Amino acid sequence: MIEIKTAMDTGKHPLEFMGKLLCECDVKWKALEDIAEIYGGLRGKSKNDFENGNARYVPYKNIFFNIDVDFDSLELVSVSASEKQNSVQYGDVLFTGSSENAEEAGMSSAVTIEQKDDVYLNSFSFGIRFNDDIRFIPDFSKYLFRSRFMRTKIARTANGVTRFNISKARFKKIKIPIPCPDTPERSLAIQAEIVRILDTFTTHTAELTARKKQYNYYRDQLLTFEDGQVEWKTKVEIEWETLESVFHILAGGDVPKATLSDTETEEFNIPILSNGIGNNSLYGWTDKAKVYSPSLTISARGTIGWTSFRENPFFPIVRLLVLTPKVELNLKYAYYFMKTIENSYHVPKNGIPQLTKPMVKDIKFPIPPLNIQTEIVTILDKFDALTNSISEGLPREIKLRQQQYEYYRDLLLSFPKSETTV
């Protein structure tokens, strides 16, 4: 076993540390087509195949949101013994095949846990499997393909207008670094050390993220009305209505191309919103709003179900559903309730996953008295200020930890390049 100290142990800058780590071997850059096979996801599946499944598969969101596959969050599909479908294997790296923008296309997730039974891959995704002579630690792969320089390379292989698809022909030409390929023992030791350093950062971030989960737990307790665990729940009457009876439900329309600006101006000061989280939902600016009153928006594609609270006028476009109240209601209360169900929408698995008005209009919505709605909002606003404030609380700490992790990740994975590297 080769003993290697970390940059933090030695007090050296990561670049100096990596130079010493690699001083006894070369880094070779090889095209993916030369070192791995690319395989596709499920083929020939209908809507019915996803309703009563007998086999597990990795869904699109699992890959998008996790650097390594979460095997506790798989879904089911029907696969017969006679079918020839590709199953994922330990060491594979899975990729989303498309997204609403090039920067988020081709997100990766490594298979870091061996599975006894076959696990398949979502049809809108693909995987790579390294050749037998290429020795990559799966946990090294999960960091490598999410590094900034690899994400930039992958995004360049996507093309499209309203939806961006990875070009497999371009993707397979991407070159990746292989440290010390001629000395496998040292190569694996270097990979393991990089993994150990980065795992330290992600563990700290995970601890902070666990506190956010605690907030979500208390939020869900306050907004789950069947169990009566909160004292006041047994003393008030809850009315259950459908979303359609409580809200006007509007589907977003086409981009107003004749009055579209990439930047905010005195004339074009109405935000055009699409799906996405935070600032990623801003598409551009226009001169006239379509929604003037405070409302909620629900992402209909991509980050399906993501709910946002909107106070100012805006123009919604495709991939968004908009909810404006028909009845007297504390809209912030409605926002908090809709956040509790944003991962439970039943979206067809075949075709491009999409949430539509008919899919949400009959969802049951609980309406306690207004004073109880206000009490819930007061409690959750305090939690929210602690966990979601930009300038204070956990998100600031999580963001700083994430930035620190990404800084070291990109430095540790910035292997020296040859003149022929692309």
Side-chain angles (χ1 to χ4, degrees), residues 281-324:
S281 65
L282 181 63
Y283 186 91
W285 302 87
T286 189
D287 61 348
K288 185 181 294 185
K290 195 171 184 178
V291 179
Y292 287 90
S293 59
S295 59
L296 307 180
T297 59
I298 303 175
S299 293
R301 287 193 194 174
T303 50
I304 290 177
W306 182 263
T307 303
S308 299
F309 181 82
R310 310 290 185 185
E311 293 186 274
N312 300 316
F314 65 96
F315 191 105
I317 59 175
V318 290
R319 312 183 198 103
L320 262 194
L321 295 177
V322 181
L323 275 57
T324 54

mmCIF file of all heavy atoms in Angstrom, residues 281-324:
data_model
loop_
_atom_site.group_PDB
_atom_site.id
_atom_site.type_symbol
_atom_site.label_atom_id
_atom_site.label_comp_id
_atom_site.label_asym_id
_atom_site.label_seq_id
_atom_site.Cartn_x
_atom_site.Cartn_y
_atom_site.Cartn_z
ATOM 1 N N SER A 281 -34.928 29.869 -13.220
ATOM 2 C CA SER A 281 -36.248 29.934 -13.848
ATOM 3 C C SER A 281 -36.425 31.185 -14.703
ATOM 4 O O SER A 281 -37.403 31.300 -15.445
ATOM 5 C CB SER A 281 -37.348 29.896 -12.774
ATOM 6 O OG SER A 281 -37.290 31.064 -11.963
ATOM 7 N N LEU A 282 -35.493 32.136 -14.618
ATOM 8 C CA LEU A 282 -35.623 33.383 -15.381
ATOM 9 C C LEU A 282 -35.205 33.164 -16.823
ATOM 10 O O LEU A 282 -34.060 32.831 -17.112
ATOM 11 C CB LEU A 282 -34.757 34.480 -14.743
ATOM 12 C CG LEU A 282 -34.807 35.847 -15.426
ATOM 13 C CD1 LEU A 282 -36.212 36.431 -15.361
ATOM 14 C CD2 LEU A 282 -33.797 36.794 -14.788
ATOM 15 N N TYR A 283 -36.150 33.355 -17.745
ATOM 16 C CA TYR A 283 -35.898 33.141 -19.175
ATOM 17 C C TYR A 283 -35.496 34.450 -19.857
ATOM 18 O O TYR A 283 -34.714 34.448 -20.814
ATOM 19 C CB TYR A 283 -37.154 32.572 -19.837
ATOM 20 C CG TYR A 283 -36.962 32.174 -21.277
ATOM 21 C CD1 TYR A 283 -36.575 30.880 -21.617
ATOM 22 C CD2 TYR A 283 -37.172 33.088 -22.307
ATOM 23 C CE1 TYR A 283 -36.397 30.510 -22.949
ATOM 24 C CE2 TYR A 283 -36.997 32.729 -23.636
ATOM 25 C CZ TYR A 283 -36.608 31.440 -23.953
ATOM 26 O OH TYR A 283 -36.424 31.074 -25.264
ATOM 27 N N GLY A 284 -36.045 35.569 -19.408
ATOM 28 C CA GLY A 284 -35.786 36.868 -20.019
ATOM 29 C C GLY A 284 -36.750 37.902 -19.454
ATOM 30 O O GLY A 284 -37.329 37.709 -18.380
ATOM 31 N N TRP A 285 -36.946 38.987 -20.218
ATOM 32 C CA TRP A 285 -37.799 40.089 -19.757
ATOM 33 C C TRP A 285 -38.744 40.519 -20.881
ATOM 34 O O TRP A 285 -38.405 40.439 -22.057
ATOM 35 C CB TRP A 285 -36.947 41.278 -19.315
ATOM 36 C CG TRP A 285 -35.993 40.923 -18.222
ATOM 37 C CD1 TRP A 285 -34.728 40.401 -18.369
ATOM 38 C CD2 TRP A 285 -36.214 41.022 -16.820
ATOM 39 N NE1 TRP A 285 -34.150 40.167 -17.142
ATOM 40 C CE2 TRP A 285 -35.029 40.552 -16.162
ATOM 41 C CE3 TRP A 285 -37.270 41.472 -16.039
ATOM 42 C CZ2 TRP A 285 -34.912 40.516 -14.786
ATOM 43 C CZ3 TRP A 285 -37.142 41.444 -14.657
ATOM 44 C CH2 TRP A 285 -35.976 40.973 -14.046
ATOM 45 N N THR A 286 -39.934 40.973 -20.492
ATOM 46 C CA THR A 286 -40.902 41.453 -21.469
ATOM 47 C C THR A 286 -41.576 42.706 -20.923
ATOM 48 O O THR A 286 -41.239 43.181 -19.828
ATOM 49 C CB THR A 286 -41.926 40.358 -21.815
ATOM 50 O OG1 THR A 286 -42.726 40.787 -22.922
ATOM 51 C CG2 THR A 286 -42.821 40.033 -20.629
ATOM 52 N N ASP A 287 -42.549 43.263 -21.677
ATOM 53 C CA ASP A 287 -43.151 44.535 -21.266
ATOM 54 C C ASP A 287 -44.545 44.402 -20.677
ATOM 55 O O ASP A 287 -45.114 45.387 -20.202
ATOM 56 C CB ASP A 287 -43.190 45.496 -22.463
ATOM 57 C CG ASP A 287 -44.026 44.939 -23.615
ATOM 58 O OD1 ASP A 287 -44.365 43.729 -23.573
ATOM 59 O OD2 ASP A 287 -44.328 45.698 -24.553
ATOM 60 N N LYS A 288 -45.114 43.203 -20.694
ATOM 61 C CA LYS A 288 -46.479 43.045 -20.180
ATOM 62 C C LYS A 288 -46.602 41.707 -19.457
ATOM 63 O O LYS A 288 -46.173 40.673 -19.976
ATOM 64 C CB LYS A 288 -47.495 43.112 -21.317
ATOM 65 C CG LYS A 288 -48.954 43.068 -20.854
ATOM 66 C CD LYS A 288 -49.909 43.121 -22.030
ATOM 67 C CE LYS A 288 -49.808 44.466 -22.745
ATOM 68 N NZ LYS A 288 -50.819 44.597 -23.836
ATOM 69 N N ALA A 289 -47.186 41.735 -18.250
ATOM 70 C CA ALA A 289 -47.356 40.514 -17.461
ATOM 71 C C ALA A 289 -48.585 39.739 -17.909
ATOM 72 O O ALA A 289 -49.504 40.291 -18.511
ATOM 73 C CB ALA A 289 -47.471 40.852 -15.986
ATOM 74 N N LYS A 290 -48.577 38.446 -17.632
ATOM 75 C CA LYS A 290 -49.748 37.605 -17.840
ATOM 76 C C LYS A 290 -50.406 37.274 -16.508
ATOM 77 O O LYS A 290 -51.589 36.995 -16.427
ATOM 78 C CB LYS A 290 -49.336 36.315 -18.563
ATOM 79 C CG LYS A 290 -50.484 35.531 -19.159
ATOM 80 C CD LYS A 290 -49.964 34.403 -20.044
ATOM 81 C CE LYS A 290 -51.118 33.673 -20.724
ATOM 82 N NZ LYS A 290 -50.606 32.601 -21.612
ATOM 83 N N VAL A 291 -49.600 37.326 -15.433
ATOM 84 C CA VAL A 291 -50.096 37.084 -14.073
ATOM 85 C C VAL A 291 -49.719 38.297 -13.223
ATOM 86 O O VAL A 291 -48.536 38.624 -13.095
ATOM 87 C CB VAL A 291 -49.482 35.805 -13.471
ATOM 88 C CG1 VAL A 291 -49.992 35.587 -12.055
ATOM 89 C CG2 VAL A 291 -49.782 34.594 -14.345
ATOM 90 N N TYR A 292 -50.746 38.961 -12.645
ATOM 91 C CA TYR A 292 -50.496 40.184 -11.877
ATOM 92 C C TYR A 292 -50.609 39.979 -10.371
ATOM 93 O O TYR A 292 -49.987 40.684 -9.591
ATOM 94 C CB TYR A 292 -51.482 41.286 -12.312
ATOM 95 C CG TYR A 292 -51.176 41.855 -13.674
ATOM 96 C CD1 TYR A 292 -51.729 41.308 -14.816
ATOM 97 C CD2 TYR A 292 -50.319 42.948 -13.815
ATOM 98 C CE1 TYR A 292 -51.448 41.835 -16.073
ATOM 99 C CE2 TYR A 292 -50.029 43.475 -15.066
ATOM 100 C CZ TYR A 292 -50.602 42.915 -16.196
ATOM 101 O OH TYR A 292 -50.309 43.428 -17.431
ATOM 102 N N SER A 293 -51.405 39.014 -9.944
ATOM 103 C CA SER A 293 -51.631 38.828 -8.508
ATOM 104 C C SER A 293 -50.669 37.798 -7.938
ATOM 105 O O SER A 293 -50.134 36.965 -8.679
ATOM 106 C CB SER A 293 -53.076 38.381 -8.271
ATOM 107 O OG SER A 293 -53.341 37.175 -8.961
ATOM 108 N N PRO A 294 -50.415 37.829 -6.623
ATOM 109 C CA PRO A 294 -49.553 36.821 -5.999
ATOM 110 C C PRO A 294 -50.041 35.415 -6.331
ATOM 111 O O PRO A 294 -51.245 35.149 -6.339
ATOM 112 C CB PRO A 294 -49.674 37.125 -4.508
ATOM 113 C CG PRO A 294 -49.979 38.591 -4.454
ATOM 114 C CD PRO A 294 -50.878 38.836 -5.644
ATOM 115 N N SER A 295 -49.106 34.507 -6.607
ATOM 116 C CA SER A 295 -49.490 33.174 -7.071
ATOM 117 C C SER A 295 -48.382 32.170 -6.762
ATOM 118 O O SER A 295 -47.314 32.527 -6.274
ATOM 119 C CB SER A 295 -49.765 33.198 -8.577
ATOM 120 O OG SER A 295 -48.608 33.644 -9.269
ATOM 121 N N LEU A 296 -48.666 30.915 -7.074
ATOM 122 C CA LEU A 296 -47.679 29.850 -6.972
ATOM 123 C C LEU A 296 -47.385 29.334 -8.362
ATOM 124 O O LEU A 296 -48.270 29.307 -9.217
ATOM 125 C CB LEU A 296 -48.201 28.695 -6.106
ATOM 126 C CG LEU A 296 -48.718 29.028 -4.717
ATOM 127 C CD1 LEU A 296 -49.198 27.750 -4.028
ATOM 128 C CD2 LEU A 296 -47.656 29.716 -3.886
ATOM 129 N N THR A 297 -46.150 28.911 -8.598
ATOM 130 C CA THR A 297 -45.832 28.250 -9.857
ATOM 131 C C THR A 297 -45.312 26.846 -9.557
ATOM 132 O O THR A 297 -44.634 26.616 -8.550
ATOM 133 C CB THR A 297 -44.767 29.017 -10.665
ATOM 134 O OG1 THR A 297 -43.567 29.151 -9.897
ATOM 135 C CG2 THR A 297 -45.279 30.387 -11.056
ATOM 136 N N ILE A 298 -45.642 25.906 -10.453
ATOM 137 C CA ILE A 298 -45.202 24.521 -10.328
ATOM 138 C C ILE A 298 -44.495 24.138 -11.624
ATOM 139 O O ILE A 298 -45.044 24.315 -12.714
ATOM 140 C CB ILE A 298 -46.385 23.564 -10.086
ATOM 141 C CG1 ILE A 298 -47.170 23.979 -8.844
ATOM 142 C CG2 ILE A 298 -45.901 22.122 -9.947
ATOM 143 C CD1 ILE A 298 -48.433 23.148 -8.624
ATOM 144 N N SER A 299 -43.275 23.639 -11.501
ATOM 145 C CA SER A 299 -42.531 23.213 -12.701
ATOM 146 C C SER A 299 -43.215 22.002 -13.321
ATOM 147 O O SER A 299 -43.466 21.009 -12.640
ATOM 148 C CB SER A 299 -41.083 22.864 -12.346
ATOM 149 O OG SER A 299 -40.386 24.015 -11.937
ATOM 150 N N ALA A 300 -43.494 22.096 -14.621
ATOM 151 C CA ALA A 300 -44.195 21.015 -15.312
ATOM 152 C C ALA A 300 -43.248 20.074 -16.034
ATOM 153 O O ALA A 300 -43.642 18.969 -16.413
ATOM 154 C CB ALA A 300 -45.195 21.601 -16.314
ATOM 155 N N ARG A 301 -42.007 20.485 -16.230
ATOM 156 C CA ARG A 301 -40.986 19.632 -16.843
ATOM 157 C C ARG A 301 -39.672 19.803 -16.101
ATOM 158 O O ARG A 301 -39.490 20.731 -15.330
ATOM 159 C CB ARG A 301 -40.783 19.990 -18.320
ATOM 160 C CG ARG A 301 -41.881 19.563 -19.253
ATOM 161 C CD ARG A 301 -41.409 19.689 -20.688
ATOM 162 N NE ARG A 301 -42.486 19.600 -21.651
ATOM 163 C CZ ARG A 301 -42.332 19.790 -22.951
ATOM 164 N NH1 ARG A 301 -41.128 20.066 -23.444
ATOM 165 N NH2 ARG A 301 -43.345 19.701 -23.781
ATOM 166 N N GLY A 302 -38.734 18.908 -16.387
ATOM 167 C CA GLY A 302 -37.419 19.012 -15.752
ATOM 168 C C GLY A 302 -37.511 18.753 -14.266
ATOM 169 O O GLY A 302 -37.657 17.613 -13.831
ATOM 170 N N THR A 303 -37.450 19.810 -13.458
ATOM 171 C CA THR A 303 -37.585 19.695 -12.001
ATOM 172 C C THR A 303 -39.078 19.617 -11.652
ATOM 173 O O THR A 303 -39.625 20.477 -10.962
ATOM 174 C CB THR A 303 -36.944 20.900 -11.300
ATOM 175 O OG1 THR A 303 -37.444 22.106 -11.904
ATOM 176 C CG2 THR A 303 -35.444 20.862 -11.432
ATOM 177 N N ILE A 304 -39.736 18.574 -12.128
ATOM 178 C CA ILE A 304 -41.198 18.451 -12.037
ATOM 179 C C ILE A 304 -41.666 18.547 -10.590
ATOM 180 O O ILE A 304 -41.147 17.867 -9.703
ATOM 181 C CB ILE A 304 -41.667 17.129 -12.662
ATOM 182 C CG1 ILE A 304 -41.490 17.187 -14.188
ATOM 183 C CG2 ILE A 304 -43.115 16.822 -12.315
ATOM 184 C CD1 ILE A 304 -41.846 15.911 -14.905
ATOM 185 N N GLY A 305 -42.676 19.409 -10.358
ATOM 186 C CA GLY A 305 -43.274 19.547 -9.046
ATOM 187 C C GLY A 305 -42.694 20.671 -8.214
ATOM 188 O O GLY A 305 -43.288 21.059 -7.200
ATOM 189 N N TRP A 306 -41.529 21.213 -8.621
ATOM 190 C CA TRP A 306 -40.901 22.259 -7.822
ATOM 191 C C TRP A 306 -41.836 23.467 -7.719
ATOM 192 O O TRP A 306 -42.278 24.015 -8.726
ATOM 193 C CB TRP A 306 -39.565 22.687 -8.425
ATOM 194 C CG TRP A 306 -38.873 23.735 -7.601
ATOM 195 C CD1 TRP A 306 -38.908 25.082 -7.802
ATOM 196 C CD2 TRP A 306 -38.076 23.516 -6.439
ATOM 197 N NE1 TRP A 306 -38.174 25.725 -6.843
ATOM 198 C CE2 TRP A 306 -37.658 24.786 -5.986
ATOM 199 C CE3 TRP A 306 -37.682 22.380 -5.737
ATOM 200 C CZ2 TRP A 306 -36.855 24.944 -4.854
ATOM 201 C CZ3 TRP A 306 -36.879 22.533 -4.611
ATOM 202 C CH2 TRP A 306 -36.473 23.798 -4.182
ATOM 203 N N THR A 307 -42.169 23.866 -6.510
ATOM 204 C CA THR A 307 -43.137 24.931 -6.273
ATOM 205 C C THR A 307 -42.441 26.195 -5.805
ATOM 206 O O THR A 307 -41.551 26.139 -4.948
ATOM 207 C CB THR A 307 -44.172 24.497 -5.218
ATOM 208 O OG1 THR A 307 -44.816 23.298 -5.659
ATOM 209 C CG2 THR A 307 -45.224 25.574 -5.008
ATOM 210 N N SER A 308 -42.850 27.339 -6.368
ATOM 211 C CA SER A 308 -42.273 28.628 -5.987
ATOM 212 C C SER A 308 -43.390 29.617 -5.653
ATOM 213 O O SER A 308 -44.490 29.548 -6.214
ATOM 214 C CB SER A 308 -41.412 29.199 -7.121
ATOM 215 O OG SER A 308 -40.333 28.329 -7.425
ATOM 216 N N PHE A 309 -43.108 30.524 -4.743
ATOM 217 C CA PHE A 309 -44.035 31.576 -4.318
ATOM 218 C C PHE A 309 -43.714 32.834 -5.102
ATOM 219 O O PHE A 309 -42.577 33.304 -5.095
ATOM 220 C CB PHE A 309 -43.879 31.800 -2.815
ATOM 221 C CG PHE A 309 -44.793 32.844 -2.234
ATOM 222 C CD1 PHE A 309 -46.094 32.525 -1.904
ATOM 223 C CD2 PHE A 309 -44.345 34.138 -2.020
ATOM 224 C CE1 PHE A 309 -46.945 33.483 -1.355
ATOM 225 C CE2 PHE A 309 -45.180 35.107 -1.480
ATOM 226 C CZ PHE A 309 -46.491 34.776 -1.148
ATOM 227 N N ARG A 310 -44.701 33.392 -5.794
ATOM 228 C CA ARG A 310 -44.473 34.566 -6.641
ATOM 229 C C ARG A 310 -45.340 35.724 -6.147
ATOM 230 O O ARG A 310 -46.565 35.632 -6.128
ATOM 231 C CB ARG A 310 -44.840 34.266 -8.096
ATOM 232 C CG ARG A 310 -44.228 32.984 -8.659
ATOM 233 C CD ARG A 310 -42.744 33.089 -8.869
ATOM 234 N NE ARG A 310 -42.207 31.894 -9.524
ATOM 235 C CZ ARG A 310 -40.909 31.696 -9.728
ATOM 236 N NH1 ARG A 310 -40.027 32.617 -9.363
ATOM 237 N NH2 ARG A 310 -40.479 30.590 -10.317
ATOM 238 N N GLU A 311 -44.698 36.834 -5.759
ATOM 239 C CA GLU A 311 -45.452 37.998 -5.268
ATOM 240 C C GLU A 311 -45.644 39.066 -6.338
ATOM 241 O O GLU A 311 -46.612 39.817 -6.309
ATOM 242 C CB GLU A 311 -44.729 38.611 -4.065
ATOM 243 C CG GLU A 311 -44.700 37.723 -2.838
ATOM 244 C CD GLU A 311 -44.103 38.429 -1.640
ATOM 245 O OE1 GLU A 311 -42.873 38.406 -1.497
ATOM 246 O OE2 GLU A 311 -44.884 39.023 -0.863
ATOM 247 N N ASN A 312 -44.720 39.147 -7.305
ATOM 248 C CA ASN A 312 -44.735 40.232 -8.281
ATOM 249 C C ASN A 312 -45.257 39.750 -9.634
ATOM 250 O O ASN A 312 -45.220 38.554 -9.940
ATOM 251 C CB ASN A 312 -43.327 40.805 -8.442
ATOM 252 C CG ASN A 312 -42.783 41.349 -7.127
ATOM 253 O OD1 ASN A 312 -43.497 42.038 -6.404
ATOM 254 N ND2 ASN A 312 -41.533 41.018 -6.819
ATOM 255 N N PRO A 313 -45.743 40.663 -10.480
ATOM 256 C CA PRO A 313 -46.237 40.286 -11.810
ATOM 257 C C PRO A 313 -45.155 39.578 -12.632
ATOM 258 O O PRO A 313 -43.972 39.908 -12.538
ATOM 259 C CB PRO A 313 -46.617 41.632 -12.439
ATOM 260 C CG PRO A 313 -46.912 42.524 -11.275
ATOM 261 C CD PRO A 313 -45.934 42.109 -10.209
ATOM 262 N N PHE A 314 -45.575 38.632 -13.485
ATOM 263 C CA PHE A 314 -44.624 37.899 -14.317
ATOM 264 C C PHE A 314 -45.337 37.318 -15.526
ATOM 265 O O PHE A 314 -46.570 37.332 -15.618
ATOM 266 C CB PHE A 314 -43.923 36.779 -13.523
ATOM 267 C CG PHE A 314 -44.846 35.679 -13.050
ATOM 268 C CD1 PHE A 314 -44.988 34.507 -13.779
ATOM 269 C CD2 PHE A 314 -45.557 35.817 -11.866
ATOM 270 C CE1 PHE A 314 -45.830 33.492 -13.341
ATOM 271 C CE2 PHE A 314 -46.406 34.810 -11.417
ATOM 272 C CZ PHE A 314 -46.536 33.644 -12.155
ATOM 273 N N PHE A 315 -44.559 36.791 -16.459
ATOM 274 C CA PHE A 315 -45.089 36.160 -17.663
ATOM 275 C C PHE A 315 -44.621 34.705 -17.662
ATOM 276 O O PHE A 315 -43.429 34.438 -17.839
ATOM 277 C CB PHE A 315 -44.592 36.869 -18.925
ATOM 278 C CG PHE A 315 -45.304 36.450 -20.185
ATOM 279 C CD1 PHE A 315 -46.233 37.273 -20.783
ATOM 280 C CD2 PHE A 315 -45.033 35.214 -20.779
ATOM 281 C CE1 PHE A 315 -46.887 36.884 -21.954
ATOM 282 C CE2 PHE A 315 -45.679 34.813 -21.933
ATOM 283 C CZ PHE A 315 -46.619 35.648 -22.520
ATOM 284 N N PRO A 316 -45.547 33.720 -17.457
ATOM 285 C CA PRO A 316 -45.146 32.306 -17.449
ATOM 286 C C PRO A 316 -45.117 31.730 -18.860
ATOM 287 O O PRO A 316 -45.982 32.033 -19.677
ATOM 288 C CB PRO A 316 -46.246 31.653 -16.619
ATOM 289 C CG PRO A 316 -47.465 32.474 -16.932
ATOM 290 C CD PRO A 316 -46.981 33.885 -17.143
ATOM 291 N N ILE A 317 -44.123 30.906 -19.141
ATOM 292 C CA ILE A 317 -44.081 30.235 -20.438
ATOM 293 C C ILE A 317 -44.170 28.725 -20.225
ATOM 294 O O ILE A 317 -44.314 28.243 -19.104
ATOM 295 C CB ILE A 317 -42.814 30.618 -21.235
ATOM 296 C CG1 ILE A 317 -41.534 30.256 -20.472
ATOM 297 C CG2 ILE A 317 -42.821 32.090 -21.564
ATOM 298 C CD1 ILE A 317 -40.269 30.497 -21.283
ATOM 299 N N VAL A 318 -44.109 27.970 -21.320
ATOM 300 C CA VAL A 318 -44.260 26.526 -21.250
ATOM 301 C C VAL A 318 -43.339 25.935 -20.198
ATOM 302 O O VAL A 318 -42.281 26.481 -19.918
ATOM 303 C CB VAL A 318 -43.997 25.859 -22.613
ATOM 304 C CG1 VAL A 318 -45.099 26.191 -23.587
ATOM 305 C CG2 VAL A 318 -42.646 26.278 -23.172
ATOM 306 N N ARG A 319 -43.754 24.805 -19.659
ATOM 307 C CA ARG A 319 -43.065 24.094 -18.578
ATOM 308 C C ARG A 319 -43.424 24.643 -17.206
ATOM 309 O O ARG A 319 -42.813 24.311 -16.211
ATOM 310 C CB ARG A 319 -41.541 24.095 -18.743
ATOM 311 C CG ARG A 319 -41.063 23.705 -20.143
ATOM 312 C CD ARG A 319 -39.557 23.654 -20.207
ATOM 313 N NE ARG A 319 -39.100 23.705 -21.591
ATOM 314 C CZ ARG A 319 -38.602 24.772 -22.165
ATOM 315 N NH1 ARG A 319 -38.477 25.888 -21.483
ATOM 316 N NH2 ARG A 319 -38.211 24.741 -23.416
ATOM 317 N N LEU A 320 -44.432 25.521 -17.132
ATOM 318 C CA LEU A 320 -44.892 26.054 -15.849
ATOM 319 C C LEU A 320 -46.402 25.954 -15.723
ATOM 320 O O LEU A 320 -47.137 26.181 -16.692
ATOM 321 C CB LEU A 320 -44.516 27.533 -15.711
ATOM 322 C CG LEU A 320 -43.267 27.935 -14.923
ATOM 323 C CD1 LEU A 320 -43.313 29.428 -14.653
ATOM 324 C CD2 LEU A 320 -43.117 27.172 -13.631
ATOM 325 N N LEU A 321 -46.889 25.596 -14.523
ATOM 326 C CA LEU A 321 -48.287 25.737 -14.161
ATOM 327 C C LEU A 321 -48.379 26.848 -13.121
ATOM 328 O O LEU A 321 -47.505 26.971 -12.257
ATOM 329 C CB LEU A 321 -48.843 24.438 -13.566
ATOM 330 C CG LEU A 321 -48.902 23.219 -14.497
ATOM 331 C CD1 LEU A 321 -49.409 21.993 -13.733
ATOM 332 C CD2 LEU A 321 -49.809 23.491 -15.696
ATOM 333 N N VAL A 322 -49.424 27.668 -13.209
ATOM 334 C CA VAL A 322 -49.590 28.800 -12.300
ATOM 335 C C VAL A 322 -50.885 28.630 -11.517
ATOM 336 O O VAL A 322 -51.938 28.322 -12.088
ATOM 337 C CB VAL A 322 -49.632 30.134 -13.080
ATOM 338 C CG1 VAL A 322 -49.775 31.306 -12.120
ATOM 339 C CG2 VAL A 322 -48.383 30.287 -13.935
ATOM 340 N N LEU A 323 -50.817 28.813 -10.180
ATOM 341 C CA LEU A 323 -51.980 28.695 -9.311
ATOM 342 C C LEU A 323 -52.262 30.053 -8.665
ATOM 343 O O LEU A 323 -51.413 30.590 -7.937
ATOM 344 C CB LEU A 323 -51.739 27.657 -8.203
ATOM 345 C CG LEU A 323 -52.005 26.179 -8.501
ATOM 346 C CD1 LEU A 323 -51.192 25.684 -9.693
ATOM 347 C CD2 LEU A 323 -51.706 25.328 -7.267
ATOM 348 N N THR A 324 -53.440 30.635 -8.948
ATOM 349 C CA THR A 324 -53.868 31.859 -8.275
ATOM 350 C C THR A 324 -55.163 31.553 -7.531
ATOM 351 O O THR A 324 -56.051 30.875 -8.064
ATOM 352 C CB THR A 324 -54.109 33.004 -9.280
ATOM 353 O OG1 THR A 324 -55.018 32.567 -10.294
ATOM 354 C CG2 THR A 324 -52.807 33.419 -9.939
#
